[in-house]
Amino acid sequence: MAAIDIPEVHKFIETIPPFSSLNLLERRQLLMGVSMLYVRQGQTLTLKNEAATVHLIRRGACEIRTPKGGLVDQIADGECFGISSLMAQNPDGLQVVAMEDSLVYRFDKIRFKETLEKSEAFELFFEHTRHNRLRKLSRSQSNELASPALQLSTPVAHIMTRQLIQASPEESVQTIAMRMTEARVSSILVVEDEKLSGIVTDRDLRSRILALGGSADSLVKDVMTRDPVSLRPDALVMQAQTLMSESNIHHLPIVDDEQRAVGMLTAADLLRHQELSPLLLINQIHRQQSIEDLARVCKQWPTLIMNLIVTDMKPADVGKVLATVSDNLTRRVIELALDKFGPAPMAFQFLVFGSQARRDQSLGSDQDNGLMLEREPTAEESQYFAELSEFICQGLGLCGIRLCPGNIMASNPEWRRTTVGWQQVFSTWIKSSAPSALLHASIFFDIRCVYDTGTRQGDAVNNLITAMQLEVSKNSVFLATLTRTALASKPPLGFFRHFVLESSGEHKNQLDLKHQGLALINDLARLYGLSCKTYRAGTLDRIEQAIREKLISVDTARNLMDAWDKLNGLRLEAQGRHWQATGKASAYLDPKDLSSLERKHLKTTFSIISDVQDVAQQRFLRGYS
């Protein structure tokens, strides 16, 4: 306990509800016996006996957690804890943990109870606060129950096998079979020059040696599967199981950036880990034989997103999961379209732009897509692709991915082009400074291929991206113009760090988290991404690549990534609340719905965006007015 200056405490609480509702005499009586604590970051406060009373944070921040560590609430300057301990003996066992070094006032237990009895308004305030905490506790506990069944954001590094059984290409089949038997594994990784070059499984030994009467002296290099499908350790369990299902494999090597084997993941590992509802949805999607059946299955889409939000999954991982589902849905709709209209008269690629390309979709995301054709079509072929594209876009719309209000869809003939045609239009935009060209750049320069009928998967799109990057690198004026456009919008912070809210309309006094926050970060990431030698489509991936190519400092980049993560989390939560209340998605947020600590963090987040905009201005507008 520290010595305390009562007049100073009185001055502080007279502006803090509900203490401000007390008269002067009531406040003086309440402060008799008050003490001050200094709580170090990470310290857990034990609220028992005389300490089972109300505490007021003078300066600092704390978390209220369940006995299992589940987060119930975050509180900061001017907020109280210990209410449940005083009023109901803390039946839920809530704990208070300091998030940072904090100064806390502890009220005398007896005098605080006397004040509660004397002032009905004072008592109602704390009853209301306790009720809100119990609601948050209930939500926290439901999250804890839901998490084991939906741990989709777990990186494969957490469940893969690290004790690897390896072989060289020149060893005999008999030798590796004995090694596999001793280790009781069903596969062995083939390594050459410390890099993964192949894999041999039990199935390979049966089908390529035993079934063909081959010799046990055969070499590994003659029976192995070369350049096997693999994933990085930070890939999600969701991605691993989808990839294994699509590739019809039961063994998935895990490799690092240098293509060195660091782990092995098997189908049995995944089955032991969890049951995954999005994977069930993907499996259902691929079994449907009509758009109508697909639409019925995809009615689960909003519920799936709500489940992902409830499980407290990282916002970036929510986007990856939704993109995986969207990509599979898109492919199935295209397959149904090809069944209906017959094989395409030429190779084509189905392109996605915007949020699906960046893998940061959310509730209410719409379509942005197009077709890349192998060559110029005849009139008859043009009609085929027009009907095919209309079927695909309308089908996706019926399945819950809204039609694009700006008509940026393959059903629009403007966005059905040859490879050369796409390169020409990208080149035109880069050479132009017209507002429409810059608008198109902000959408179309986030690009991915999700379906390719050609034999060289993705080559045409990779060539388009390479040409685009080359064109941008030669045109500093375009990057400067794009920068000015990106920096024209500022985070919603006014003088004295007050929020700048919508002044009228349906969302009066609210913040637009999408256009006033996330879009600003996406624009910054795109600027850096277009300046990199290696193209990345995702916002966080672009920032990471800019770090690798030393275009941005590590601290600046990490701050921006944290800001994106914070805003995306708030957007998902806001959309979830609006969806439950109205059946519509909205990224608008009333700051009054946040705690003072959350508002503080949000202001810091907007300040970070503003700071990085200043950094980008210095980098990309140097020499341009």
Side-chain angles (χ1 to χ4, degrees):
M1 299 285 181
I4 189 165
D5 182 351
I6 295 297
E8 172 62 25
V9 184
H10 193 283
K11 183 178 180 181
F12 178 66
I13 70 168
E14 68 181 0
T15 62
I16 302 293
F19 304 99
S20 55
S21 67
L22 301 174
N23 60 42
L24 180 60
L25 179 60
E26 288 170 333
R27 283 198 294 270
R28 285 178 176 173
Q29 290 176 337
L30 177 63
L31 292 182
M32 293 177 66
V34 71
S35 55
M36 184 168 67
L37 292 76
Y38 175 68
V39 188
R40 292 191 176 279
Q41 182 178 2
Q43 181 180 341
T44 299
L45 289 172
T46 302
L47 305 184
K48 295 181 179 179
N49 302 322
E50 292 306 308
T53 185
V54 172
H55 297 63
L56 174 65
I57 300 176
R58 177 65 177 85
R59 185 173 67 251
C62 296
E63 291 181 337
I64 300 176
R65 292 190 168 274
T66 67
K68 292 183 179 180
L71 181 62
V72 176
D73 205 355
Q74 293 178 320
I75 53 178
D77 303 3
E79 294 186 281
C80 294
F81 62 84
I83 300 164
S84 182
S85 297
L86 178 73
M87 304 180 78
Q89 290 74 56
N90 194 15
D92 302 298
L94 299 180
Q95 301 173 339
V96 179
V97 182
M99 298 170 61
E100 58 188 60
D101 291 349
S102 304
L103 287 177
V104 177
Y105 296 139
R106 174 181 288 171
F107 293 99
D108 178 80
K109 188 174 184 177
I110 294 176
R111 295 193 181 279
F112 203 94
K113 283 186 173 181
E114 290 175 349
T115 306
L116 288 174
E117 293 170 359
K118 291 178 181 177
S119 172
E120 183 178 2
F122 195 68
E123 182 181 23
L124 284 174
F125 178 91
F126 284 103
E127 281 287 2
H128 179 70
T129 301
R130 180 168 171 265
H131 174 71
N132 283 340
R133 297 257 167 88
L134 289 176
R135 275 197 306 113
K136 292 180 179 181
L137 170 63
S138 176
R139 188 173 67 178
S140 170
Q141 289 174 333
S142 67
N143 290 355
E144 290 172 7
L145 291 172
S147 293
L150 288 170
Q151 293 169 355
L152 305 181
S153 60
T154 304
V156 295
H158 292 181
I159 65 170
M160 70 185 186
T161 300
R162 297 178 184 272
Q163 287 71 42
L164 302 179
I165 310 302
Q166 300 183 358
S168 73
E170 303 300 326
E171 289 187 87
S172 70
V173 167
Q174 184 175 25
T175 302
I176 69 160
M178 291 172 61
R179 193 176 304 152
M180 291 165 64
T181 301
E182 290 172 2
R184 296 183 179 181
V185 297
S186 55
S187 66
I188 191 167
L189 297 176
V190 184
V191 176
E192 194 170 12
D193 296 329
E194 297 186 351
K195 295 185 178 181
L196 179 69
S197 61
I199 185 173
V200 179
T201 67
D202 279 345
R203 184 166 59 178
D204 295 329
L205 295 178
R206 291 194 305 271
S207 62
R208 298 175 184 177
I209 298 295
L210 293 176
L212 300 178
S215 170
D217 294 326
S218 300
L219 299 182
V220 167
K221 65 181 181 182
D222 296 326
V223 300
M224 71 182 187
T225 299
R226 295 182 178 275
D227 301 321
V229 173
S230 62
L231 273 182
R232 298 290 189 267
D234 59 352
L236 306 182
V237 166
M238 169 75 181
Q239 293 171 293
Q241 190 154 345
T242 302
L243 180 59
M244 292 168 75
S245 176
E246 291 175 345
S247 305
N248 192 29
I249 58 176
H250 297 88
H251 303 83
L252 182 64
I254 308 301
V255 298
D256 63 14
D257 290 338
E258 304 300 324
Q259 204 62 21
R260 292 174 300 208
V262 295
M264 170 64 80
L265 192 67
T266 67
D269 295 328
L270 293 172
L271 287 173
R272 281 194 299 269
H273 179 63
Q274 58 189 201
E275 60 179 67
L276 302 175
S277 60
L279 289 174
L280 294 177
L281 178 56
I282 289 173
N283 288 335
Q284 289 178 321
I285 284 171
H286 284 290
R287 288 200 301 268
Q288 305 312 308
Q289 299 302 315
S290 70
I291 292 296
E292 291 72 25
D293 291 339
L294 263 182
R296 280 194 291 273
V297 167
C298 288
K299 286 182 179 178
Q300 303 174 53
W301 181 263
T303 304
L304 166 65
I305 299 176
M306 294 301 301
N307 283 344
L308 298 180
I309 296 171
V310 163
T311 54
D312 208 22
M313 179 182 283
K314 292 180 181 178
D317 293 341
V318 171
K320 291 177 183 177
V321 170
L322 296 182
T324 301
V325 178
S326 292
D327 290 357
N328 278 272
L329 173 61
T330 303
R331 293 183 194 118
R332 186 59 189 144
V333 172
I334 293 171
E335 290 167 356
L336 291 175
L338 292 172
D339 289 343
K340 178 179 176 65
F341 297 103
M346 69 181 78
F348 73 88
Q349 290 79 40
F350 193 85
L351 312 178
V352 294
F353 309 102
S355 62
Q356 187 173 352
R358 295 192 304 269
R359 293 186 173 91
D360 62 11
Q361 287 173 287
S362 62
L363 271 167
S365 292
D366 60 5
Q367 299 179 42
D368 290 309
N369 50 52
L371 278 190
M372 181 182 287
L373 306 178
E374 183 180 25
R375 55 174 171 76
E376 284 293 343
T378 64
E380 185 178 352
E381 291 169 339
S382 292
Q383 182 61 29
Y384 170 90
F385 283 114
E387 293 177 3
L388 185 84
S389 299
E390 183 69 19
F391 181 94
I392 293 169
C393 295
Q394 292 297 329
L396 290 172
L398 289 172
C399 292
I401 304 182
R402 293 187 301 115
L403 298 176
C404 174
N407 203 19
I408 299 176
M409 295 181 292
S411 53
N412 182 346
E414 178 75 8
W415 310 125
R416 297 194 299 271
R417 296 173 177 267
T418 64
T419 303
V420 173
W422 278 107
Q423 290 177 352
Q424 288 174 343
V425 74
F426 272 44
S427 178
T428 300
W429 291 334
I430 293 169
K431 292 175 181 176
S432 171
S433 59
S436 60
L438 297 172
L439 175 63
H440 285 142
S442 69
I443 299 171
F444 288 91
F445 286 19
D446 304 343
I447 178 174
R448 269 196 312 118
C449 173
V450 298
Y451 192 91
D452 189 347
T453 62
T455 56
R456 305 189 57 154
Q457 298 288 305
D459 276 5
V461 179
N462 291 334
N463 292 339
L464 170 63
I465 290 170
T466 299
M468 174 183 71
Q469 292 283 100
L470 182 62
E471 192 88 38
V472 170
S473 68
K474 296 177 180 177
N475 196 326
S476 57
V477 175
F478 166 76
L479 209 54
T481 306
L482 193 63
T483 301
R484 279 195 290 268
T485 302
L487 302 186
S489 298
K490 300 294 181 182
L493 280 182
F495 292 111
F496 308 112
R497 284 169 53 89
H498 292 312
F499 290 123
V500 178
L501 307 176
E502 296 289 317
S503 59
S504 61
E506 178 186 357
H507 301 292
K508 184 177 180 180
N509 297 326
Q510 294 181 352
L511 291 168
D512 183 351
L513 296 175
K514 179 179 178 181
H515 296 101
Q516 294 180 302
L518 284 166
L520 306 186
I521 300 178
N522 291 338
D523 288 344
L524 287 167
R526 189 177 301 108
L527 287 173
Y528 282 98
L530 290 173
S531 302
C532 289
K533 296 176 182 177
T534 301
Y535 177 83
R536 304 283 186 226
T539 292
L540 298 186
D541 291 336
R542 284 169 165 170
I543 299 173
E544 288 277 13
Q545 187 63 32
I547 295 175
R548 283 191 284 270
E549 297 191 20
K550 303 187 184 308
L551 300 182
I552 190 171
S553 73
V554 174
D555 284 346
T556 299
R558 296 294 181 217
N559 286 339
L560 191 61
M561 293 167 76
D562 287 343
W564 184 91
D565 197 61
K566 174 69 176 176
L567 287 174
N568 224 340
L570 287 174
R571 175 183 68 160
L572 287 169
E573 291 175 5
Q575 287 184 330
R577 287 194 299 269
H578 283 290
W579 186 273
Q580 288 179 316
T582 66
K584 297 179 181 179
S586 172
Y588 284 87
L589 173 72
D590 187 339
K592 292 179 181 177
D593 292 337
L594 302 176
S595 69
S596 60
L597 180 61
E598 289 172 324
R599 290 194 293 273
K600 184 177 175 183
H601 284 174
L602 184 55
K603 289 177 181 178
T604 301
T605 297
F606 286 138
S607 295
I608 287 170
I609 298 173
S610 182
D611 291 343
V612 181
Q613 285 184 329
D614 291 341
V615 172
Q617 183 173 8
Q618 291 297 317
R619 179 173 187 87
F620 299 112
L621 288 181
R622 191 176 300 154
Y624 298 93
S625 56

